Amino acid sequence: MKNFSLTFHLSERIALAGENGCGKSTLIKLLTGLYEPTEGEILVDNVPLNRYSIRQRKLMFSVVFQDFTNFHLSVRETIGIADTDCIQDDKRIFYAAQKGLIDDFIQTLPKKYDTLLGNIYEDGMDLSGGQWQRLAIARAYVVDSKMKILDEPTASLDPRAENALYEEALRINQGGILIVTHRLGITKYVDRIIVLHEGCVEEDGTHIELMKKNGIYKTMYNSQAEWYRYDEME
């Protein structure tokens, strides 16, 4: 990333868009402290990010990455591992599962939240890809952070399924949310779209504003539009 300057509020609903390799995931890893900037600095309330403790950063951002882990633990532990102090906090675990839209499924399991996950256990339950994804999203709600970040955790889904999941995330989320994507079906529903290109901010605005610019966003959106058109009923 180079010559990069960006300001946003943790209460905003943002889509961070761009083609693969444009720097989206790098930016998220910088924001969450997984990478340290080699130049410049990241400020939160005018304080350098590296002055905040790990616990303070967790209260700023909860992240679900594209390559999230499937934890072969109990359901309770798989959700609560985001904050181990919460593993025995039923209220917090149930809240996170409900936000991740996975509680109804958990209630059908033999031991509900104490069910072991994964075929490494004799009585373990293996899950579908979508169910593992919902557990990963539930983990983001264990910590009461100001902004949830979804860094393309649905990249393995087809565009329509991905779009439906993001719509649900926007509907249930009551704080800020940052959706990182190179597929643009969801961008009409956020407050702000930031388009990266070759490590720089190329465009910044609402869906309507960027479509009027006739720039990179409009080109990308129009090229993908047919992915999200449902076939008409015969």
Side-chain angles (χ1 to χ4, degrees):
M1 307 192 79
K2 55 188 178 182
N3 300 323
F4 191 93
S5 180
L6 179 64
T7 301
F8 62 88
H9 300 286
L10 297 184
S11 59
E12 288 185 284
R13 291 152 39 108
I14 300 171
L16 184 63
E19 298 288 358
N20 288 329
C22 69
K24 300 186 301 294
S25 290
T26 298
L27 174 59
I28 299 308
K29 289 174 181 177
L30 286 166
L31 281 176
T32 54
L34 295 177
Y35 290 170
E36 290 287 340
T38 55
E39 294 182 63
E41 57 185 352
I42 300 171
L43 303 177
V44 179
D45 289 336
N46 293 318
V47 177
L49 183 64
N50 59 16
R51 292 188 186 177
Y52 290 95
S53 67
I54 293 176
R55 179 64 182 176
Q56 288 173 315
R57 293 185 193 187
K58 279 188 173 183
L59 294 175
M60 297 174 194
F61 305 108
S62 294
V63 191
V64 183
F65 287 107
Q66 178 175 338
D67 53 350
F68 60 84
T69 300
N70 296 339
F71 294 101
H72 290 175
L73 304 167
S74 70
V75 174
R76 177 189 306 278
E77 292 166 333
T78 296
I79 296 174
I81 199 169
D83 186 346
T84 54
D85 291 339
C86 293
I87 288 179
Q88 298 306 319
D89 185 340
D90 286 348
K91 184 177 180 181
R92 175 58 60 178
I93 297 295
F94 297 163
Y95 168 84
Q98 289 167 350
K99 287 293 187 180
L101 301 178
I102 192 69
D103 177 68
D104 287 348
F105 169 74
I106 294 170
Q107 297 299 334
T108 70
L109 298 177
K111 297 181 180 179
K112 297 182 172 55
Y113 283 82
D114 294 315
T115 301
L116 294 174
L117 300 178
N119 54 19
I120 64 171
Y121 302 107
E122 184 176 343
D123 59 346
M125 289 288 298
D126 204 7
L127 304 181
S128 69
Q131 289 159 348
W132 283 116
Q133 286 171 330
R134 291 191 183 281
L135 285 173
I137 291 172
R139 281 197 293 275
Y141 285 93
V142 170
V143 180
D144 190 19
S145 58
K146 293 182 179 179
M147 175 171 275
K148 312 301 181 189
I149 300 176
L150 304 181
D151 185 9
E152 300 197 88
T154 60
S156 61
L157 298 180
D158 66 74
R160 291 176 182 173
E162 177 191 56
N163 198 54
L165 190 146
Y166 282 153
E167 283 186 21
E168 290 176 352
L170 287 170
R171 180 177 60 82
I172 65 177
N173 194 69
Q174 297 176 351
I177 187 167
L178 176 57
I179 296 175
V180 182
T181 185
H182 67 282
R183 302 196 294 207
L184 306 180
I186 195 61
T187 51
K188 291 189 295 184
Y189 307 106
V190 299
D191 305 321
R192 181 181 176 193
I193 303 160
I194 298 167
V195 182
L196 298 187
H197 180 65
E198 296 183 352
C200 295
V201 176
E202 184 75 12
E203 296 176 332
D204 187 345
T206 66
H207 171 76
I208 293 175
E209 289 170 345
L210 297 189
M211 290 297 283
K212 289 179 179 179
K213 284 187 175 181
N214 295 318
I216 187 171
Y217 175 81
K218 183 176 182 178
T219 300
M220 290 175 59
Y221 187 85
N222 286 341
S223 70
Q224 297 178 17
E226 64 184 46
W227 296 353
Y228 306 98
R229 293 193 186 108
Y230 289 85
D231 294 333
E232 293 184 2
M233 298 284 291
E234 294 184 357

